[in-house]
């Protein structure tokens, strides 16, 4: 007998009864999940202060303006909020019809990175420089399109009432469509993003009710793929060095292990309450590289201490908790899969980012959602919040 995940899909039968329209009393604003929205916004605003602290003295980066990164981070947050509102207004069901187009567009964009339009930033050839100081990292948006294309395929027959679970042919097709952009991103190479995408695919399969054989097969394929990539020499030297430093922190403390060692010193020096905003010696002394992006958590640890760093963890936990509620309460498998993919994305990327600053995960060059500086990442996570809010807002209401 074929085993399946314990996730029940019996509640995804087509809605046959009347569906009430939203009234003034039960408006969109009333149906929003405010805890997840306020938690994400607090993370972004807290991130603005941390980015400001990390960059206000970096004249080689801020073009002589100590407020340069602060204003740009706030601008990115504002644009992200607009994208979230637009996503809610369109609705995840309307976007469902545009998924093939969005998927194709994301493939075109990541292919463009491999052309002369692509640029290398911080060792990863994963960017498209637009001009005027703006750049785009298409792999951030691929995370969203992988979730949407897989959800569209895996939920189609279940939501129509034709099946209780996705069949093997549908699962295979969904995995092939997910593997295509992941393979292209691997060619950049952007190993961190591929790791996140792999976890997203795993989360989507678990939520879809697909056979456990697919889940176990995916895990096995991931392990085999990692071995194959290493054997074929597809990783750059700096990526191999990062894993070597993770396996042996004392290997080269002044070289490949420098980032992690300095990060741990910064966090450890913060104590319970921290040195105070703008008063961190490691931060002001610029000892930790890429502190406004990948290592932003070290600023919180040093200047805000255990309390401030713990607040970030609590806020991320609230976002994940409310996202789980949205996934559980929706009455369509499509919405559940989309929410589950976002949960897997946020949870793993947050764990990896914070873990690498503590030395419990290898350095993978991933931003901390909502907190790290970066337009592409900020836009993508706020679109994801918009999808979660749309799933909640558009839940059927019996008349």
């Amino acid at each position: 007998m074929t085993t399946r995940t314990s996730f029940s899909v019996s509640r995804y039968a087509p809605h046959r009864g009347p569906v009430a329209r939203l009234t003034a009393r039960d408006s969109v604003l009333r149906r929003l999940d405010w805890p997840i929205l306020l938690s994400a916004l607090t993370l972004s605003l807290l991130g603005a202060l941390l980015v400001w602290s990390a960059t206000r003295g970096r004249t080689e980066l801020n073009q002589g303006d100590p407020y340069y990164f602060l204003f740009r981070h706030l601008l990115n947050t504002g644009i992200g909020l607009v994208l979230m509102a637009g996503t809610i207004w369109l609705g995840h069901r309307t976007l469902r019809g545009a998924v093939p187009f969005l998927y194709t567009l994301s493939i075109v964009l990541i292919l463009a990175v491999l052309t002369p339009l692509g640029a290398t930033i911080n060792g990863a050839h994963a960017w498209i420089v637009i001009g005027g100081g703006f750049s785009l990292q298409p792999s951030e948006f691929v995370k969203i399109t992988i979730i949407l294309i897989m959800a569209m395929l895996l939920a189609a027959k279940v939501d129509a009432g034709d099946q209780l679970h996705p069949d093997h042919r549908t699962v295979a097709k969904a995995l092939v469509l997910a593997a295509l952009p992941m393979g292209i991103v691997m060619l950049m190479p952007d190993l961190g993003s591929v790791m996140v995408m792999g976890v997203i695919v795993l989360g989507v399969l678990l939520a879809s009710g697909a056979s456990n054989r697919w889940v176990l097969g995916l895990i096995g394929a991931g392990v085999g793929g990692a071995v194959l990539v290493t054997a074929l020499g597809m990783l750059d030297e700096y990526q191999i060095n990062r894993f070597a430093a993770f396996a042996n922190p004392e290997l080269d403390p002044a070289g490949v292990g420098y980032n992690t060692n300095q990060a741990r010193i910064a966090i450890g020096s913060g104590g319970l309450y921290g040195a105070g905003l703008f008063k961190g010696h490691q931060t002001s002394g610029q000892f930790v590289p890429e502190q406004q992006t990948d290592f932003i958590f070290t600023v919180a640890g040093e200047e805000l201490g255990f309390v401030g760093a713990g607040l970030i963890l609590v806020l991320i936990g609230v976002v994940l908790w409310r996202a789980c509620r949205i996934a559980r309460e929706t009455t369509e498998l499509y919405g559940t899969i989309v929410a589950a993919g976002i949960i897997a994305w946020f949870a793993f990327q947050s764990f990896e980012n914070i873990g690498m600053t503590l030395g419990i995960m290898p350095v993978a060059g991933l931003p901390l959602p909502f907190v790290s500086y970066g337009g592409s990442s900020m836009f993508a996570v706020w679109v994801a919040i918009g999808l979660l809010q749309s799933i909640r807002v558009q839940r059927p209401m019996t008349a």
Side-chain angles (χ1 to χ4, degrees):
M1 182 176 178
T2 301
T3 58
R4 299 184 182 277
T5 59
S6 59
F7 201 97
S8 173
V9 294
S10 59
R11 58 192 172 96
Y12 300 122
H15 183 76
R16 304 298 184 186
V19 177
R21 295 179 179 273
L22 291 177
T23 63
R25 183 179 178 182
D26 194 16
S27 64
V28 171
L29 289 178
R30 287 174 60 89
R31 302 196 76 188
L32 287 178
D33 191 304
W34 286 99
I36 197 173
L37 176 58
L38 294 177
S39 295
L41 183 58
T42 302
L43 283 169
S44 292
L45 296 178
L46 182 58
L49 293 176
L50 299 178
V51 167
W52 186 20
S53 178
T55 59
R56 65 194 186 97
R58 301 290 298 272
T59 54
E60 77 281 9
L61 295 177
N62 61 28
Q63 303 178 17
D65 180 4
Y67 300 99
Y68 178 81
F69 282 93
L70 171 65
F71 289 151
R72 287 174 71 96
H73 186 91
L74 292 174
L75 175 61
N76 290 337
T77 301
I79 295 174
L81 289 170
V82 172
L83 292 173
M84 179 199 70
T87 303
I88 298 172
W89 179 74
L90 287 173
H92 68 290
R93 292 174 185 159
T94 301
L95 288 173
R96 188 174 187 171
V99 168
F101 169 76
L102 295 175
Y103 176 81
T104 303
L105 178 61
S106 69
I107 295 294
V108 171
L109 288 175
I110 55 177
L111 283 174
V113 173
L114 302 178
T115 70
L117 295 174
T120 300
I121 299 178
N122 297 330
H125 191 78
W127 303 80
I128 298 175
V129 177
I130 301 174
F134 292 95
S135 57
L136 180 71
Q137 188 177 11
S139 58
E140 290 293 336
F141 303 99
V142 170
K143 298 169 186 174
I144 298 175
T145 55
I146 285 178
I147 293 172
L148 293 177
I149 194 72
M150 292 189 71
M152 183 189 74
L153 289 171
L154 295 172
K157 294 182 179 179
V158 176
D159 284 338
D162 298 332
Q163 295 178 349
L164 289 178
H165 306 280
D167 56 52
H168 292 300
R169 183 176 180 180
T170 301
V171 175
K173 184 177 180 181
L175 289 177
V176 169
L177 289 177
L180 176 58
M182 290 175 64
I184 299 173
V185 172
M186 192 67 230
L187 293 176
M188 295 178 181
D190 186 355
L191 182 60
S193 293
V194 172
M195 290 168 58
V196 175
M197 293 172 193
V199 173
I200 287 173
V201 172
L202 183 61
V204 164
L205 284 184
L206 287 170
S208 70
S211 169
N212 283 339
R213 294 176 183 176
W214 285 106
V215 176
L216 295 175
L218 180 63
I219 295 174
V223 174
V227 174
L228 182 63
V229 165
T230 304
L232 294 177
M234 295 179 64
L235 298 180
D236 285 344
E237 183 178 358
Y238 79 92
Q239 293 174 317
I240 297 175
N241 289 338
R242 284 176 174 179
F243 282 99
F246 169 68
N248 182 8
E250 304 302 324
L251 178 64
D252 186 8
V256 296
Y258 177 81
N259 290 15
T260 301
N261 289 331
Q262 292 299 320
R264 294 172 68 180
I265 292 172
I267 294 174
S269 66
L272 183 60
Y273 298 107
L277 195 63
F278 309 132
K279 297 179 181 179
H281 295 298
Q282 292 291 114
T283 299
S284 60
Q286 303 174 17
F287 289 102
V288 184
E290 306 303 331
Q291 211 169 7
Q292 75 275 16
T293 53
D294 300 345
F295 287 89
I296 190 69
F297 191 74
T298 62
V299 185
E302 181 182 26
E303 299 189 345
L304 305 181
F306 178 81
V307 173
L311 176 61
I312 291 177
L313 294 177
V314 169
L315 292 171
I316 293 173
V318 172
V319 171
L320 296 175
W321 163 54
R322 300 302 298 186
C324 287
R325 285 198 59 175
I326 291 171
R328 186 177 68 249
E329 294 175 355
T330 184
T331 57
E332 57 180 3
L333 182 58
Y334 176 72
T336 294
I337 293 177
V338 171
I342 294 171
I343 293 166
W345 166 14
F346 286 2
F348 177 77
Q349 188 161 317
S350 298
F351 178 77
E352 164 61 31
N353 177 276
I354 295 173
M356 71 184 188
T357 65
L358 298 175
I360 61 174
M361 291 292 286
V363 176
L366 291 171
L368 183 58
F370 303 102
V371 182
S372 293
Y373 175 79
S376 298
S377 173
M378 186 69 76
F379 302 158
V381 295
W382 277 109
V383 168
I385 292 295
L387 288 170
L388 290 172
Q389 295 286 13
S390 173
I391 293 167
R392 176 178 168 83
V393 168
Q394 295 189 4
R395 286 182 301 175
M397 300 177 295
T398 56

